[in-house]
Amino acid sequence: TGTVNWTHVVSPNLMFNFAADIMTYFNTAIQGPKFAGNEVAALGFAPAYYGQLMGAETHKFPNISFSGIGSSGNSYGQLGGAGGYSGNNHALDLLPTLTYIHGAHTIRAGVAIDFYQKFQSGVTSLDSYSFTNNFTSEYDQSVYSEGPGWYTGNSIASALLGYPNSGTVHYILLPFDSQHYIAPWVQDDWKFTKNLTLNLGFRWDFLTPLYDRFNRLDGAFNYSVVNPVSASIPQGTAALGNDTTLTGGQTFAGVNGVPRGAYYTNKLNIQPRVGFAYRINDRMTLRGGAGMNYMSDQTTNGTTGFSTSSAYGNSVDNGVTPYTACPQGTSTPGYPNCTRSEERRVGKECRSRW
């Protein structure tokens, strides 16, 4: 943080003051080690998977958890950790002010100019995978939920076989936001009588919407645009007949004439202020005042399409066969264990080994 303040006396009744502040805030909270190479590739994940991850995420160990043993609820230790946070906030404030004294009036006028910028460079959430005894227990738990083999199997065994029970993959937008604020103002301190001074003024706020440097923000919902899904609807449906044109769709900042910000700048934020100071005697003064203020708006319309989280589907047959054993479902070529007729018997035999 740094501040510069310069005052220049132009004449006995005219003074100019200029102040500038600069603030920089570095916020870094990286949790867990960061590896030099591609740690996700080193763990054996396919290129088709880690090729879609954010660059910083491939240098972190994913979050892997294991369920407990039996009904005790005691869990194994967790591998990996959170992604942490790394971001920088910058602000530059300029405040030129002019003071003019004339008779009973002391008039001050100026403008507040603020430039704000925020940049996030670190990953906040890592991909996570959870292993349970679901695919290594003796019985199919989705069918025999209270069977004698409910607490057989082991989450570590499921992990060694590569059978996760659940998981989440993230693609998180790293924002690069900026916002500008300009507010001209004027105030007159008027010594109305010997004992009464009036304070009269107003302020006019201009706050731009929050922008992303690369336009990775949603725009407003357009109720009249033709939705692209219309091309996929066959004519003659019971609900639509031959008119398959559906209207309404999401817009995106800076695309097809949509403004880059989340909203239009409000030019009506005029804020009058009035106050007084009344000297009752040499030891007592009564002061009061009122004014109108507007809160700053830093909202956005979200980042749909730029950030997403996808859940892992552990099975295509309601938990009987793990998806990683049958990547193309129950008819996976070269995987006889994935056929419907054999899946329960083979699954039971494989799981009973644990």
Side-chain angles (χ1 to χ4, degrees):
T1 301
T3 300
V4 175
N5 196 306
W6 176 63
T7 301
H8 176 64
V9 178
V10 181
S11 67
N13 61 342
L14 182 63
M15 181 176 66
F16 175 75
N17 180 263
F18 178 80
D21 300 328
I22 185 170
M23 292 169 285
T24 298
Y25 174 57
F26 298 97
N27 183 10
T28 302
I30 302 299
Q31 299 179 9
K34 182 178 180 180
F35 299 92
N38 189 332
E39 188 65 15
V40 181
L43 290 172
F45 286 91
Y49 164 68
Y50 61 74
Q52 302 180 61
L53 300 179
M54 304 175 66
E57 199 172 4
T58 60
H59 299 284
K60 302 280 291 184
F61 198 96
N63 185 294
I64 301 177
S65 60
F66 309 91
S67 64
I69 307 173
S71 59
S72 64
N74 296 323
S75 298
Y76 294 105
Q78 177 178 292
L79 300 178
Y85 177 89
S86 179
N88 303 328
N89 293 10
H90 308 291
L92 174 63
D93 303 331
L94 306 176
L95 185 60
T97 304
L98 194 66
T99 303
Y100 177 68
I101 301 174
H102 179 72
H105 298 270
T106 300
I107 302 173
R108 291 181 294 164
V111 58
I113 306 173
D114 299 339
F115 302 97
Y116 170 75
Q117 189 179 81
K118 178 179 67 175
F119 171 65
Q120 182 180 335
S121 59
V123 178
T124 56
S125 298
L126 297 177
D127 294 347
S128 60
Y129 304 93
S130 175
F131 292 89
T132 68
N133 65 331
N134 185 38
F135 292 116
T136 51
S137 60
E138 182 178 2
Y139 293 99
D140 174 15
Q141 296 182 22
S142 64
V143 179
Y144 305 100
S145 58
E146 301 298 332
W150 171 258
Y151 291 116
T152 63
N154 191 284
S155 58
I156 299 296
S158 297
L160 293 174
L161 290 172
Y163 297 162
N165 186 64
S166 63
T168 304
V169 177
H170 304 277
Y171 191 92
I172 300 174
L173 171 70
L174 300 179
F176 200 139
D177 298 333
S178 62
Q179 192 170 33
H180 303 156
Y181 170 75
I182 301 175
W185 58 274
V186 63
Q187 178 172 316
D188 182 12
D189 296 332
W190 180 17
K191 194 169 183 61
F192 190 70
T193 68
K194 178 181 179 181
N195 294 337
L196 177 63
T197 299
L198 299 179
N199 312 113
L200 308 172
F202 78 93
R203 186 184 188 94
W204 197 355
D205 281 3
F206 297 90
L207 179 67
T208 67
L210 203 66
Y211 298 98
D212 181 82
R213 173 169 290 190
F214 305 104
N215 292 337
R216 298 167 301 182
L217 293 176
D218 297 339
F221 189 85
N222 189 330
Y223 292 92
S224 60
V225 68
V226 176
N227 195 299
V229 75
S230 300
S232 303
I233 302 176
Q235 292 186 350
T237 58
L240 299 175
N242 291 327
D243 185 8
T244 59
T245 302
L246 299 180
T247 58
Q250 180 67 58
T251 63
F252 298 94
V255 179
N256 296 330
V258 176
R260 295 186 60 214
Y263 51 86
Y264 291 100
T265 301
N266 190 335
K267 301 178 182 179
L268 300 178
N269 290 342
I270 299 176
Q271 305 160 78
R273 281 87 185 273
V274 59
F276 71 91
Y278 182 74
R279 178 175 174 271
I280 300 175
N281 54 48
D282 292 340
R283 303 182 61 183
M284 184 178 295
T285 300
L286 178 64
R287 302 177 183 272
M292 182 180 293
N293 295 278
Y294 293 91
M295 294 183 63
S296 62
D297 190 351
Q298 295 183 324
T299 59
T300 67
N301 292 322
T303 57
T304 302
F306 300 99
S307 295
T308 186
S309 295
S310 301
Y312 171 75
N314 65 358
S315 175
V316 295
D317 54 7
N318 199 29
V320 175
T321 309
Y323 178 79
T324 50
C326 303
Q328 298 181 28
T330 56
S331 59
T332 301
Y335 289 82
N337 293 357
C338 294
T339 58
R340 289 284 185 182
S341 59
E342 295 292 322
E343 64 184 6
R344 189 174 302 280
R345 180 184 64 79
V346 174
K348 179 178 177 180
E349 290 178 356
C350 292
R351 289 192 292 268
S352 63
R353 299 175 186 176
W354 299 98

